[in-house]
Amino acid sequence: MDDTTLLRRNASLISTELDGDTVMMDVESGAYFALNGTAGVIWQALEDGATLEKLVSELNARFEVAGGDDIAADVERFLRDMLENGLIETQA
């Protein structure tokens, strides 16, 4: 995955917001997942598809990031975890 790889939610998941968190269920496996507020923002952005570059830009604009901290590595690590768990997919 690079900065321009288009990522999208796995269509077999259903999700809803519950007490400020995003709760998801994989319909095929029955597995449940929960995302906190910031991860939920990423999840929402992935509804129509997004790149790592776009997600980092949106998060930097939305949240105050302390003095030059770069969140790109954290977002990339999170996206890789989501890919490994089948929560998101790359789109050609």
Side-chain angles (χ1 to χ4, degrees), residues 5-8 48-50 89-92:
T5 301
L6 185 61
L7 303 164
R8 179 177 288 278
D48 296 323
E89 305 167 325
T90 57
Q91 186 174 5

Side-chain angles (χ1 to χ4, degrees), residues 16-17 19 22 43 49 53 70 83:
T16 190
E17 191 171 320
D19 294 330
T22 301
W43 181 253
E53 181 178 49
D70 185 5
L83 277 167

Side-chain angles (χ1 to χ4, degrees), residues 4-92:
T4 60
T5 301
L6 185 61
L7 303 164
R8 179 177 288 278
R9 295 177 185 182
N10 180 332
S12 71
L13 296 173
I14 57 173
S15 64
T16 190
E17 191 171 320
L18 182 65
D19 294 330
D21 292 337
T22 301
V23 180
M24 305 172 299
M25 185 180 103
D26 184 336
V27 176
E28 294 174 4
S29 71
Y32 284 89
F33 303 90
L35 302 174
N36 69 16
T38 304
V41 170
I42 294 171
W43 181 253
Q44 289 301 321
L46 290 169
E47 182 173 9
D48 296 323
T51 63
L52 172 61
E53 181 178 49
K54 179 181 177 186
L55 291 169
V56 169
S57 176
E58 287 182 21
L59 291 172
N60 275 322
R62 184 169 179 165
F63 300 103
E64 287 189 32
V65 180
D69 286 346
D70 185 5
I71 63 169
D74 292 337
V75 173
E76 182 175 6
R77 190 171 25 258
F78 175 69
L79 292 173
R80 287 191 187 283
D81 286 345
M82 290 183 78
L83 277 167
E84 288 174 12
N85 284 294
L87 304 177
I88 62 173
E89 305 167 325
T90 57
Q91 186 174 5

